[in-house]
Amino acid sequence: MKILLIYKSKTGFTERYANWISEEIDCEIVNISNIQSINIKAYDLIIYGSRIHAGRIDGLDKVKKLNLENKLIIFATGATPEETDYIQDVWRNNLNQKELQSIKHFYISAGLNYERMGFLDKAMMKMAYVMLEKKKDKSAEDIGMQNSIKKSYDISDKSKIKPLVEYIKSL
């Protein structure tokens, strides 16, 4: 099976996971900025990986326009330590009902890197933190979110790609 892994990475976490995945499976790997030079139709399977940014999977709309039908697998990286209701909402907001059933998707926790973020991203994160700080009657998820966006951290771990790699190897 001929596999292409396309990734988009702003702070480096998704690129790290993309490289780890490519070490485990036989695939070509390319940054999304270079896909115009790739014959997508020559591949049996396309893996797309990117970060979750403001509830959206960065660059996914561009990939979905490639009409990959049942050839697409998605992984999304983020600062949330585990798959939560928020991550389930992200999937529902980024994939329609048919896509949720037909496109295999994986969440991989990675971390947060303020040092590699742009000004707007930093400002948005600061606003989210302040809003959570002021919120009364915080839920456990609110507290977890507030703690997870307080400062930079790296929880990426190669072992977290195992479910995705196992799924691909089972095809």
Side-chain angles (χ1 to χ4, degrees), residues 68-118:
L68 299 170
E69 297 164 12
N70 295 329
K71 295 173 29 165
L72 182 62
I73 295 173
I74 301 168
F75 73 92
T77 61
T80 304
E82 58 194 39
E83 190 146 345
T84 62
D85 290 341
Y86 168 73
I87 300 300
Q88 291 302 314
D89 288 343
V90 168
W91 291 122
R92 284 189 291 273
N93 291 332
N94 285 267
L95 301 171
N96 64 38
Q97 196 62 32
K98 181 182 174 192
E99 292 167 338
L100 280 168
Q101 295 173 352
S102 65
I103 299 173
K104 191 72 172 166
H105 49 277
F106 298 85
Y107 174 71
I108 305 175
S109 59
L112 196 63
N113 187 334
Y114 282 110
E115 294 75 21
R116 293 188 69 186
M117 281 184 192

Side-chain angles (χ1 to χ4, degrees), residues 24-25 164-171:
E24 297 296 320
I25 61 171
L164 181 137
V165 169
E166 286 179 351
Y167 175 76
I168 293 167
K169 288 182 175 181
S170 76
L171 299 176

Side-chain angles (χ1 to χ4, degrees), residues 117-158:
M117 281 184 192
F119 173 77
L120 290 176
D121 287 342
K122 285 180 188 176
M124 194 169 78
M125 296 301 289
K126 179 70 172 173
M127 273 189 348
Y129 182 83
V130 169
M131 286 173 40
L132 286 166
E133 183 70 25
K134 291 180 179 180
K135 187 174 181 181
K136 296 178 195 245
D137 301 319
K138 294 177 195 152
S139 68
E141 193 167 288
D142 292 335
I143 293 167
M145 175 67 93
Q146 186 178 6
N147 289 334
S148 73
I149 64 174
K150 189 181 248 181
K151 61 183 179 177
S152 293
Y153 60 93
D154 182 350
I155 56 172
S156 59
D157 182 331
K158 189 173 182 178

